[in-house]
Amino acid sequence: GEEELSLQIGDTVHILETHEGERRCLKGVSCPRRHKETVIPNELPLVQEVTTTLREWATIWRDLYVGNKREMFNSVRDMIYDLIEWRSQILSGTLPQDELTELKQKVTSKIDYGNKYLDLDLVVRDKDGNILDPEITSTVSLFRAHEAASKQIEDRIQEEKSQKQNIDLTRQAKFASTPAFALFVTLKNVVCKIGEDAEVLMSLYDPLESKFISENYLVKWSSSGLVKDIDQLHNLRAVFTDLGSEDLKREKISFVCQIVRVGRMELRDNNTKKLTSGLRRPFGVAVMDVTDIITGKTDDEDKQHFIPFQPVAGENDFLQTVINKVIAAKEVNHKGQGLWVTLKLLPGDVHQIRKDFPHLVDRSTAVARKMGFPEIIMPGDVRNDIYVTLALGDFDKGNKTKPKNIEVIMSVYDEDGKKLENVIFPGAGDDGIIEYKSVIYYQVKQSRWFETIKVAIPIEDVNRSHLRFTFRHRSSQDTKDKSEKIFALSFVKLMRYDGTTLRDGEHDLIVYKAEAKKLEDSSVYLSLPATKLEMEEKGYSTTGKSAQNLGNCSISKDSFQISTLVCSTKLTQNVDLLGLLKWRSNTSLLQQNLRQLMKVEGGEVVKFLQDTLDALFNIMMENSDSDTFDTLVFDALVFIIGLIADRKFQHFNPVLETYIRKHFSATLAYTKLTKVLKNYVDNAEKLTEQLLKAMKALEYIFKFIVRSRVLFNHISWRRRRSNRPLPLTCSGSLTVLLGAAGERRL
């Protein structure tokens, strides 16, 4: 026939000559006729070998994938990619002879290494990398070449292992040198049949303590199955920062994703025109154990992890309960639904991460902070976050035949009744909002929300602000829902009567009932007790009647509990520390405040290290004509240096160094510090204990003295040069500006 033959390298073609002199080609057929020829390809023998090797490895590669041998699969994949690339370079014919020779050596070395790795036959070569022909090579020569090849490959394997160990050791050293870590997360896809818009909330969770340890990372998902903000498509990245050694010691850490659908009360309702929309309803959770990733035991940023999805059993199934069930269960019947994510542990705080990993973390990457302080708080790291968790509530059904569908609405108001805007953050990656609406559980008397929201209020507004929680029944029918009004209210002030911030922990709030219009007026309820504890302190009875009248409001028998956590470098919950930080407001208590500082718990002092040191040196400088407070300030400074020398807080040494180098500005402190230290040395027999503490802190005391003297010399030199006085405040900072003509100005 005249049809074309499909040939591959290595095929044998038989050429038959007919009686008429014509020639016919038969592929792979044994022919008894005497006229036959073998087609020899034009490619180099090494290219043929690479092609044959790739075919052989491809079959094994597929078997590794089927057998779920991921490590070997990835190794073979990398070797195949290398051989394909090098084969293309050889075939291009553009390489100089020396580069071609070097590339041939790399190819043969890779083939031999791969064959050994896959337990395949060893190919024996000459010094140029060509396969030895056993027909013309002696047995002894073949044996010696085989021995040399085996040794060379074994050395290569050992070298690869050594390189891997060095990489691991380098990585461990890098992590050991930094007290802060971060978990980088990329959301690749959400495969769930939701049918409505949804909110995907991701966070880190401690299953043993049953509590979240980080803020949420919030992604808004549309009903079409894509991210709602199309600009974020293929760019859903977040970094969970501020993790420290305490988190590495946790027995277990889980990555939890909660999915909340936003739409109708019940999905099975189809008549959407008459139904209430925009309701936040529970849909399900996905949980993955990330302990090995957090502790650094596994590290594969390219690996996509599938996190199986567990829907809620019923519309009133609490998300917190489902999370704990999934963690306890061995398997999840996910039916192919779940999330695809990549995870990688990064060393350093958020500033260091942006510097070291710009290809991963940029300005568009969401930053979800730990709910708590990092182990080191550097000067200038100002934070003022209050985490509020809607815990649980118990609400009577009232005139309803069934329990209410309770929705909690949280907002922030000042004492004049003005609502603060954009200070509530439901999750990283989302803008601030005016009010937060909770998930609604259908016809449940005792709701358990456990939803955490971040409130970030400007520091100057905190003392005038309070959180307001209003409660409303939501109906599935739109006409009925519009008629439902707020039926109760709770509130809590962010600042206590003594000037300290709201205590961390649980707060049982009083639920007040009144007309909806009266509940909107802050003057009606702000003078009333906010919590049951405050009610007892003010002498109100908490027993007896189910409702008590307090002005225009009555206390309901309903209950509502929240928990709060304050993470602020400016707001303290310690009265003694507050007294020192605000020492100008009552100078008559200054000596007492300085003495009380040395009784404050160390963790609270180091959180406010810069402000505390600023306060001490301001006291010293603003009383420069008197030595009344010099000794107390010196002792307080020794106390703080002693704290940082303690093993528990020794990672704050860089913070103190940074403060001395960049923030310290007391130019005359050296005279007073030197005077007190000299007094301790001169009276060593009487002041043995004080001198001993001072000697332990001597390194940093002298650093303060030297820095103070250097600053003083700079100012004196500038004054002499400019021949005019320079007015400075004790707490002010000095900036040296270089002019266009080279002159300098303070």
Side-chain angles (χ1 to χ4, degrees), residues 457-473:
I457 305 173
I459 294 170
E460 60 272 14
D461 294 333
V462 173
N463 62 335
R464 303 178 66 249
S465 303
H466 66 276
L467 304 177
R468 185 161 89 175
F469 306 90
T470 52
F471 308 98
R472 182 184 172 195
H473 168 72

Side-chain angles (χ1 to χ4, degrees), residues 23 32 60 68 109 147 158 167 222 228 317 330 371 380 421 448 500 513 554 567 587 640-641 661 678:
R23 293 190 177 191
I60 299 171
N68 199 27
S109 177
E147 271 193 328
Q158 292 300 322
I167 292 171
S222 69
K228 210 163 188 179
D317 203 3
K330 291 183 178 179
M371 290 199 293
E421 298 183 358
R448 295 170 60 87
T500 58
K513 285 192 174 181
S554 61
C567 295
T587 54
I640 292 172
I641 295 171
R661 191 172 62 256
K678 183 177 182 300

Side-chain angles (χ1 to χ4, degrees), residues 449-607:
W449 294 281
F450 291 101
E451 300 173 46
T452 301
I453 314 102
K454 181 172 78 173
V455 178
I457 305 173
I459 294 170
E460 60 272 14
D461 294 333
V462 173
N463 62 335
R464 303 178 66 249
S465 303
H466 66 276
L467 304 177
R468 185 161 89 175
F469 306 90
T470 52
F471 308 98
R472 182 184 172 195
H473 168 72
R474 300 305 301 266
S475 175
S476 57
Q477 299 296 321
D478 190 45
T479 52
K480 289 183 180 180
D481 188 69
K482 287 179 179 177
S483 64
E484 295 290 348
K485 305 293 183 185
I486 294 169
F487 68 86
L489 169 143
S490 292
F491 75 98
V492 65
K493 295 178 182 178
L494 296 178
M495 200 68 78
R496 288 163 52 86
Y497 64 90
D498 56 8
T500 58
T501 317
L502 182 68
R503 293 281 187 268
D504 293 343
E506 297 173 350
H507 305 277
D508 292 313
L509 304 187
I510 299 169
V511 180
Y512 289 102
K513 285 192 174 181
E515 295 178 13
K517 288 185 177 179
K518 290 183 179 179
L519 291 176
E520 293 176 1
D521 185 1
S522 60
S523 62
V524 172
Y525 60 81
L526 273 182
S527 59
L528 302 176
T531 65
K532 292 183 179 180
L533 180 63
E534 189 180 339
M535 190 174 178
E536 292 174 2
E537 290 175 352
K538 290 189 176 182
Y540 292 102
S541 173
T542 56
T543 57
K545 297 180 180 179
S546 60
Q548 302 179 31
N549 290 322
L550 291 171
N552 294 317
C553 299
S554 61
I555 299 177
S556 168
K557 61 183 178 182
D558 298 336
S559 64
F560 179 59
Q561 186 187 84
I562 66 168
S563 63
T564 58
L565 175 65
V566 178
C567 295
S568 175
T569 54
K570 296 295 179 183
L571 302 172
T572 178
Q573 297 171 338
N574 188 284
V575 179
D576 296 326
L577 185 57
L578 180 70
L580 178 71
L581 297 177
K582 296 189 175 182
W583 63 274
R584 289 188 182 90
S585 60
N586 192 347
T587 54
S588 62
L589 297 176
L590 191 49
Q591 290 190 0
Q592 178 185 334
N593 291 334
L594 286 167
R595 290 190 182 96
Q596 291 299 115
L597 171 67
M598 290 175 267
K599 298 178 183 178
V600 176
E601 195 270 325
E604 191 72 9
V605 174
V606 294
K607 280 194 293 188

Side-chain angles (χ1 to χ4, degrees), residues 205-213 320 323-324 327 450:
Y205 183 80
D206 188 326
L208 298 181
E209 297 182 11
S210 295
K211 72 172 187 179
F212 292 98
I213 60 177
Q320 179 83 3
I323 290 170
N324 292 330
I327 290 172
F450 291 101

